[in-house]
Structures are given as C-alpha cells and as structure tokens.
Amino acid sequence: MRKGRYFLTSESVSEGHPDKVCDQISDAVLDAILSKDKNARVACETYITRGMVVVGGVITTATWADIDGIARKTIKDIGYTDPKYGFNGDTCAVINVIGRQSPDISQGVDTGGAGDQGFMVGYACKETPQYMPLPLQLAHEILLRLAGLRKNKVLNYIGPDSKSQITVEYRDGKPMRVDTAVLSTQHTEEILDKTGKKITDSSKRELIENAVLPVIGKWADAKTKYLINPTGKFVIGGPQSDTGMTGRKIIVDTYGGRCPHGGGAFSGKDATKVDRSAAYMARYIAKNVVAGGVAHECTTQIAYAIGKAEPVGFYLETNGTGKTHDDKITDVCKKIFKMTPRAIIEQFGLRRPLYAKTAAYGHFGRDIFPWEKTDKAALLAKMLLK
C-alpha cells in the first residue's frame, strides 16, 4: 500500500460515446445469436462514423441474426433518434461484413481449450461497497445519473454523448476527498450564452447540482474543483464528431487504470474467448479474496495458451494488504477456483444472452452479473484466517 499523499484519476464515458455505441452493438449481436444458438462462436466488431455503421468480425453459428435491425435498435435505444444530435438510428447506413471463424482456431476450442493466448487481470478493493476503485465508481455513477436525467426529460438539453473524470486525493492508501470533478456532455444550442461559444453559468450549476454533487456527496469539500464542459460547448458530439470502434475503452470497462490490463477487449466476444471469460474469473477471485477479509485489495492474473484448457500461469498479489502471505492465498485460490474456459463458462452460465448490459458503465462493480458474487468469501476466510 502506497504511503503519503497522492492523486488518482479515472474516467468513464456514456452509452452515447461513439466507442461505447460500437461495444453495445457488438454485444447486442452476441446476445441475439446466443439466444438461439448457445454454442455459437462470435467475435463481432463494429465501426461507426458520420452516418454509417460497419459490423464485421468472424461468427460461426447455426442461426441467423438481423444485423441491420439489431444495430438500428441499439442506436435508437441509446438516444440517437433526432437529427439535432447528428446521428439517427433510422436513417444511418448499416453495412454487414461478417465472416466465419478460422477452422485452425476452432479445432482447439472444440476440445475445451482457450480461444487464444493471453493474460487477463482482475482487481478488487475495499474503497467502495462494490469493491471497486473510488475514482472509477464515482465517474460511472455520474454518467448513469446523467443518463437518467436525459431519458426522464429532467434536463431536456442533454445529448447522448458524455464523459466524466474524477480525481481523488489519497493519503496512505486511503481515499480522502474528490479533488477535481470533470463532466463534458453533449447538449443542444439552447443553453449557450450570448457569445455562442460556451454554456451558461446557470447550466453549469444545474449540471453540478443534479448530476455531480448527488454522486460525490461526502467526498466533496470546499476545495473541490468542478470543470463542466471545459472547452466551452459540446453541441457536435457522437458519431458526427468522432469515429467509434469496439474495444477502445478497455480501461473504462475494467478498473480505471488502478491495476494492469491484459491484452484484449471484451465486447462482441463469446465466452470461449478468454479475453472476456477469464477476465471475469480474475475479478471473481479478487473480489472474493477482499470480501472474505483476506486482504484490503487484491490483483490477480490468469494466463493461457491457445488450444490449452488449463492456465499456464496464475498470479495474485495483495500489495502488502494481505492478512497472510500472498503465496499461501495463491495456493488456496488454485484449489478453490476452476480456471479452465469450460469451467468458467459453466460456473457463470456464459452461453446465454447477458452481455449487452455489460457494454456501458463497466463490466465490474454491478451485482447483476454472476462474476460479482461473493459466494466463496466465507470459504476463503475459513481456510486463510485461522
């Protein structure tokens, strides 16, 4: 655990961010296919730009999915239904360039092996009830609240594309206060001041009072800085202002930069891809270690070789916060947790359509997902805290 005073920052992006639009389309395609063919192999990638969506990748399945319809529905559910936001799910072009998975890969996966080599990382800490790092948890919650204000028409001028960033001051490993809160949100022209170059001060106050303060609450103090649309205005947003692609927000998806990250993204991949399924197992192990009181924080790593079922490496560290030696915790975790791709899929029920909900506001820290359970915490405590 680091000593002294320091600052950590994490960001989140909304469901209307171009990269997140792509993640949601890719995972919606995955869910649609799994709902009809639980044994499908899916690696779906989406690219979005002004007026156009391209859905590609490699998929092997016995069923059919309406790619055009899935993409348009996802875009409209996010909120891109009006020309004023620069993109419309009814009028954009949708191009389907999906192919089939290579048989050289599938022959190893068919026997229960990993779909690729790589290492996946999990993390948990006691900073929040969700066992997530505080800066990222607050950044996610601000955007979730902002989305609610938009969809419930409390603040009618908000667009779908938004970003948040939270900087937290720590002392001796403990979060003390929010130092800076940044919120940039797409909006209509009605809240611009007379210059037309920035939003009004009253709009900034309204966003702080409705979206930011209710989340950061006790962590804010008189010195907390608020930066709302710091460039001035954000009328042009979403795919009109920037391209998007599946898998480009992996730090938002995971732990906000608090720990290392493995090599792969998650969205659009079925559970035979250990980039995704093993990352869920790594989180599950770390969270149960912390929930069991064995450590204040825990980082795990699981490594695989393509076509091989058993991991080629498992690593765990508690950053000096463990109640016992890390090597002992590692040995016990190896006994308790089954880490082959097939075992992970069976434990979490990963051959069903549950992925679309993961594609915005983080894959971790929400109890709706099976890898967030702490059902091994008591057993770990019993075996390690004698």
Side-chain angles (χ1 to χ4, degrees):
M1 183 181 294
R2 180 173 171 177
K3 298 296 183 180
R5 177 172 176 260
Y6 55 94
F7 297 83
L8 285 177
T9 301
S10 293
E11 71 159 348
S12 182
V13 299
S14 72
E15 63 210 71
H17 185 281
D19 292 331
K20 276 290 146 204
V21 174
C22 293
D23 286 344
Q24 290 166 90
I25 292 172
S26 294
D27 273 335
V29 170
L30 172 61
D31 278 357
I33 292 173
L34 289 177
S35 68
K36 300 176 182 178
D37 180 7
K38 67 178 184 178
N39 295 313
R41 303 277 168 72
V42 180
C44 182
E45 308 283 348
T46 303
Y47 169 80
I48 196 168
T49 188
R50 184 176 299 186
M52 182 175 70
V53 180
V54 180
V55 184
V58 288
I59 299 176
T60 302
T61 179
T63 190
W64 173 86
D66 178 10
I67 303 298
D68 183 277
I70 292 168
R72 294 186 190 282
K73 182 179 186 305
T74 302
I75 292 164
K76 290 188 287 185
D77 287 348
I78 289 168
Y80 287 113
T81 58
D82 194 310
K84 67 183 178 182
Y85 295 127
F87 202 83
N88 191 318
D90 283 321
T91 60
C92 66
V94 178
I95 302 172
N96 180 354
V97 288
I98 292 172
R100 293 179 65 85
Q101 185 185 55
S102 164
D104 294 345
I105 296 174
S106 62
Q107 68 180 359
V109 178
D110 289 342
T111 60
D116 201 353
Q117 69 176 42
F119 67 92
M120 280 48 70
V121 176
Y123 181 80
C125 64
K126 284 189 175 179
E127 289 180 11
T128 64
Q130 297 84 7
Y131 297 95
M132 292 290 287
L134 180 64
L136 180 62
Q137 187 64 34
L138 295 178
H140 282 327
E141 290 182 9
I142 286 170
L143 292 186
L144 278 166
R145 185 172 181 84
L146 189 69
L149 294 169
R150 170 172 63 89
K151 293 175 181 179
N152 293 321
K153 302 188 184 302
V154 177
L155 299 179
N156 289 318
Y157 51 80
I158 299 173
D161 189 3
S162 304
K163 301 177 76 172
S164 64
Q165 183 173 284
I166 296 293
T167 300
V168 172
E169 179 182 343
Y170 286 77
R171 293 178 189 171
D172 296 331
K174 296 182 179 180
M176 303 303 295
R177 55 181 289 274
V178 169
D179 181 75
T180 306
V182 182
L183 176 62
S184 297
T185 184
Q186 184 183 16
H187 59 85
T188 57
E189 294 185 350
E190 67 188 82
I191 61 168
L192 293 174
D193 66 7
K194 293 181 180 179
T195 69
K197 295 181 178 180
K198 62 181 181 178
I199 64 174
T200 62
D201 290 339
S202 61
S203 296
K204 290 183 180 181
R205 286 194 299 271
E206 192 169 40
L207 286 164
I208 292 170
E209 292 170 0
N210 285 275
V212 181
L213 278 176
V215 173
I216 66 174
K218 65 177 183 179
W219 299 104
D221 60 21
K223 295 183 178 180
T224 298
K225 299 179 284 291
Y226 302 91
L227 301 177
I228 308 300
N229 282 23
T231 62
K233 66 177 182 178
F234 189 179
V235 173
I236 301 173
Q240 183 185 17
S241 66
D242 197 5
T243 60
M245 189 174 292
T246 301
R248 289 205 299 201
K249 285 291 176 283
I250 56 177
I251 301 304
V252 172
D253 286 341
T254 53
Y255 307 102
R258 184 62 173 270
C259 65
H261 192 284
F266 302 154
S267 289
K269 298 177 181 177
D270 74 89
T272 65
K273 281 75 172 173
V274 286
D275 282 343
R276 183 171 214 158
S277 54
Y280 294 164
M281 175 55 74
R283 160 66 174 177
Y284 177 63
I285 296 170
K287 185 175 181 180
N288 275 271
V289 168
V290 175
V294 178
H296 181 82
E297 65 175 309
C298 181
T299 303
T300 58
Q301 182 198 83
I302 312 173
Y304 295 85
I306 187 168
K308 301 298 182 182
E310 291 292 340
V312 297
F314 174 70
Y315 171 80
L316 179 150
E317 71 169 325
T318 62
N319 302 311
T321 69
K323 300 289 182 63
T324 187
H325 294 297
D326 286 0
D327 55 356
K328 185 177 179 181
I329 302 172
T330 300
D331 290 341
V332 169
C333 286
K334 285 181 178 179
K335 294 176 182 177
I336 292 177
F337 299 99
K338 296 179 180 179
M339 302 181 215
T340 65
R342 182 169 292 168
I344 297 171
I345 290 169
E346 291 176 355
Q347 177 164 353
F348 297 144
L350 298 181
R351 294 194 184 277
R352 55 195 168 105
L354 52 72
Y355 297 103
K357 292 181 180 179
T358 69
Y361 310 113
H363 290 243
F364 309 114
R366 291 185 282 163
D367 289 339
I368 58 176
F369 305 130
W371 50 89
E372 291 296 314
K373 292 181 179 179
T374 55
D375 51 346
K376 302 296 185 185
L379 177 58
L380 285 164
K382 181 179 179 180
M383 296 181 70
L384 290 165
L385 300 178
K386 295 178 182 179

